[in-house]
Amino acid sequence: MITGATRLTAVLGWPVDHSRSPQILNAAYAELGVDAVMVPIAVRPEDFAAVIAGLRAGHCLGASVTIPHKISAAALCDELTPAAKAIGAVNCLQFGDADDPKRLTGHNTDESGFLDGLVEAGYEPKGKRAVLLGAGGAARAVAYALRGGRAIEVVARRPEKVTWARAWPWTPEQLRDCLSRADLVVDCTSISLGADEAVQVEAIPIDVLPEGAWVSTLIYHRPSILLERAKAAGYSTLDGRAMLVHQGARAFTTWLSVPAPLDAMRRALDASLATNPVGT
């Protein structure tokens, strides 16, 4: 029952109908009896600042931010957490604090969500080198999550644009060299969303990975050929469902200052994907 006392949270994107954040956050609210609701709001880039101003004036509890607004969201905040500042992107907005009910704080829960998912899956570094495929905003968040005592290498189409990690060109030779030294490979590209996924994945030399390596992708709504190949070769794998749930859980706790009910959120995501597998 939505009443005048119900607190509003939203997920903002363009498009946004694919987002599973409402399913997992509303399940979390229901599980703990929180009088709040999350709704998806489709926002054109040119309207983003106006929508944020409206949510701010309306004492919104918080908002999740997805493509293509994460960089724009950072520019609108009064304050950024260290992670959001370092990554240069915001995926979680907190409206108000103890001193100012309209203060806008930008968080990045993608990085902590990714790491939480890895730890939950039982990942233990067998080496000190992670290789990220792709160099977009998601890769930057993953690199931040994996910082500290580890070498982070990026293989990308335009390595000259990467200033936050050691980057190499996307060539067969370089892929083979980098993967042969990695204990963790994270696919941060859109390969799994393309019609030529099988062709592109075939060019990634999974067979050169050291024994005990892990292979991960941020895609969660459909099977990944890369993960299927890695699993068949005996490597541990992890898709993007854990990251999605954990980044949502971090947002929930940021807004409400209580631990999120992870099991209820997982069940809601699995049920949503089972009934409507199309989306990202």
Side-chain angles (χ1 to χ4, degrees):
M1 177 71 69
I2 297 175
T3 70
T6 302
R7 300 297 305 276
L8 174 66
T9 59
V11 55
L12 311 174
W14 184 260
V16 77
D17 56 352
H18 60 271
S19 176
R20 306 306 166 99
S21 290
Q23 286 88 338
I24 63 176
L25 267 299
N26 286 327
Y29 299 146
E31 183 73 11
L32 297 189
V34 176
D35 188 7
V37 63
M38 173 171 271
V39 297
I41 302 178
V43 184
R44 295 180 185 274
E46 60 269 27
D47 298 326
F48 185 71
V51 170
I52 293 300
L55 294 174
R56 201 170 186 172
H59 302 286
C60 181
L61 179 62
S64 293
V65 181
T66 188
I67 294 172
H69 302 312
K70 294 183 181 183
I71 294 175
S72 298
L76 296 174
C77 292
D78 299 313
E79 178 185 0
L80 297 176
T81 62
K85 183 178 291 185
I87 296 166
V90 161
N91 76 316
C92 173
L93 293 170
Q94 178 185 1
F95 293 86
D97 59 23
D99 299 319
D100 183 355
K102 292 186 179 180
R103 185 170 183 80
L104 185 59
T105 303
H107 302 255
N108 191 301
T109 63
D110 282 336
E111 57 90 17
S112 51
F114 176 77
L115 192 58
D116 289 345
L118 268 182
V119 172
E120 180 184 67
Y123 168 73
E124 294 182 4
K126 300 294 192 297
K128 295 185 177 181
R129 189 179 305 275
V131 173
L132 312 185
L133 305 180
R140 189 160 182 164
V142 170
Y144 186 85
L146 296 174
R147 73 196 186 285
R150 296 178 59 83
I152 307 294
E153 294 188 336
V154 176
V155 183
R157 303 293 183 187
R158 303 187 69 178
E160 70 279 1
K161 290 188 171 292
V162 180
T163 59
W164 39 270
R166 191 175 187 183
W168 304 96
W170 189 289
T171 65
E173 297 76 18
Q174 202 60 66
L175 280 167
R176 181 169 291 274
D177 181 58
C178 286
L179 266 60
S180 69
R181 296 177 279 126
D183 79 299
L184 172 65
V185 177
V186 186
D187 178 19
C188 304
T189 71
S190 58
I191 286 176
S192 294
L193 301 178
D196 60 344
E197 176 189 7
V199 174
Q200 293 200 54
V201 169
E202 189 64 33
I204 299 174
I206 292 296
D207 58 299
V208 303
L209 283 169
E211 183 179 355
W214 281 63
V215 180
S216 176
T217 180
L218 308 186
I219 299 297
Y220 65 82
H221 70 285
R222 55 169 284 186
S224 161
I225 295 177
L226 180 65
L227 293 195
E228 291 173 350
R229 281 189 59 207
K231 184 177 291 189
Y235 299 109
S236 298
T237 62
L238 182 67
D239 65 21
R241 287 176 295 174
M243 178 180 177
L244 179 69
V245 168
H246 279 286
Q247 65 84 21
R250 291 272 183 163
F252 181 96
T253 299
T254 295
W255 299 330
L256 296 167
S257 300
V258 296
L262 287 169
D263 287 343
M265 297 170 78
R266 292 189 192 97
R267 290 195 299 268
L269 176 59
D270 289 344
S272 175
L273 292 174
T275 57
N276 180 21
V278 178
T280 60

